[in-house]
Amino acid sequence: QMIESARETSSSDLEAGSQVIIDELSQKSEAEIIEFYIIYQTLLNETYLADLWNACVLIGCGCNENGFLSFRNWLMAQGKETFYQAVHDPEALVSIVTPENRLQTRYEGFSYIALVAYDNKFGYELEHVELPAPVALVGEPLEEEKLSAKFPKLAAKLGDCD
């Protein structure tokens, strides 16, 4: 709900939306901030999927581990409906990704929302939280030349990376 509300309030500006969430989360209890952080980490694990990695490569004209983390952060910031559609079928991103915005599909700032909110509220860093263990990538990344066949709608809409 906080993400959806922030998207509406900030006209989908990622930095402004993150600040809206930070401000709201800073008003919550310690347990609620930690819960937000654990949910965030759980969603990161749930999105550690080769199909999303493959889409990230096609959309972003390449992808490495940090780029994929930022892509998944950007995906979370798009809201629940878009997030789950893309997890189920990454080609669903064809509805929001364009040749003009394809390189803006990464957003590192979402990683820090709970940490900043915690520091704002308590004046010190969040430490010693038991987070879900990192998971291995589910599936196999494809060779770049096979991505157009895997995601024909995205490839047709976005074209080549120049």
Side-chain angles (χ1 to χ4, degrees), residues 55-128:
C56 179
V57 171
L58 180 70
I59 292 167
C61 301
C63 188
N64 60 23
E65 193 69 41
N66 286 336
F68 188 47
L69 173 60
S70 293
F71 178 78
R72 293 178 292 150
N73 280 312
W74 168 82
L75 186 57
M76 281 186 229
Q78 301 311 301
K80 183 178 181 177
E81 184 177 335
T82 299
F83 176 84
Y84 283 109
Q85 284 176 346
V87 168
H88 176 70
D89 177 16
E91 192 152 53
L93 292 171
V94 74
S95 67
I96 62 169
V97 177
T98 66
E100 295 76 30
N101 74 6
R102 75 187 300 173
L103 299 180
Q104 283 84 48
T105 57
R106 300 197 179 155
Y107 181 61
E108 182 181 3
F110 207 81
S111 296
Y112 306 108
I113 287 175
L115 301 174
V116 172
Y118 191 92
D119 187 52
N120 286 350
K121 176 146 185 132
F122 298 105
Y124 53 91
E125 292 182 14
L126 176 61
E127 296 178 352
H128 310 295

